[in-house]
Amino acid sequence: MTPRLTTLLLSDHAQVRERLLFVSSGGISRVVQAAYPSHPRIHLALVVHLPAGTLGVAHRVLIKLKYPEQALQIAQIELVINVDEPAGAHPGEGINVPQVIDLSPVVFAHPGQVDVQVSIDDEPAGDLTFWMLQVTTRP
């Protein structure tokens, strides 16, 4: 039994409250900015499912943002998830662990395709692609 990524999406805003994921305007695939370098106000939301046999153990979640055209890494974010079995859990019951990452500190140097790659305990877990675009003006 291994942890698995069940949700990965880009949103205008996301937060975790009482172990629940709240997402506003989720599923973004295009981020338009007026100028570059840019610090867009977006959030990466993810949910990791920990099966019962993996509770109480630290799990490393590594997130890499890359411009695939140049094989250039934009940012690397590491999380450690360690959740004990909840009180009153049924035998064999796992738990969903939502996480939110504010991407506004990340510097996007230029427009282009951005790949997000997630691994859990050094095993590939999921990915998503979005596009950083620049506002175009018409004459």
Side-chain angles (χ1 to χ4, degrees):
M1 295 192 309
T2 58
R4 71 182 189 281
L5 184 68
T6 62
T7 304
L8 180 65
L9 65 113
L10 201 60
S11 64
D12 281 339
H13 179 75
Q15 68 184 39
V16 175
R17 181 187 51 80
E18 299 173 12
R19 290 197 171 172
L20 297 174
L21 178 63
F22 171 78
V23 176
S24 179
S25 302
I28 293 173
S29 61
R30 300 164 59 102
V31 179
V32 180
Q33 299 291 287
Y36 286 86
S38 177
H39 294 271
R41 299 182 76 173
I42 53 178
H43 291 82
L44 186 65
L46 56 142
V47 177
V48 175
H49 179 77
L50 298 179
T54 65
L55 297 172
V57 177
H59 299 282
R60 178 177 177 246
V61 178
L62 185 63
I63 301 160
K64 294 180 181 179
L65 285 79
K66 298 179 179 180
Y67 286 117
E69 294 170 355
Q70 302 88 15
L72 176 67
Q73 185 167 299
I74 301 164
Q76 180 171 300
I77 302 155
E78 185 174 335
L79 307 170
V80 176
I81 297 174
N82 189 351
V83 178
D84 291 326
E85 185 174 304
H90 298 282
E93 182 181 357
I95 189 167
N96 289 327
V97 182
Q99 300 287 309
V100 172
I101 299 158
D102 179 359
L103 294 180
S104 64
V106 176
V107 177
F108 293 87
H110 55 79
Q113 178 181 335
V114 176
D115 288 345
V116 180
Q117 300 169 333
V118 179
S119 64
I120 302 173
D121 296 336
D122 298 320
E123 294 293 326
D127 56 47
L128 82 91
T129 296
F130 66 95
W131 289 85
M132 294 296 299
L133 304 172
Q134 187 157 4
V135 174
T136 56
T137 58
R138 297 183 181 186

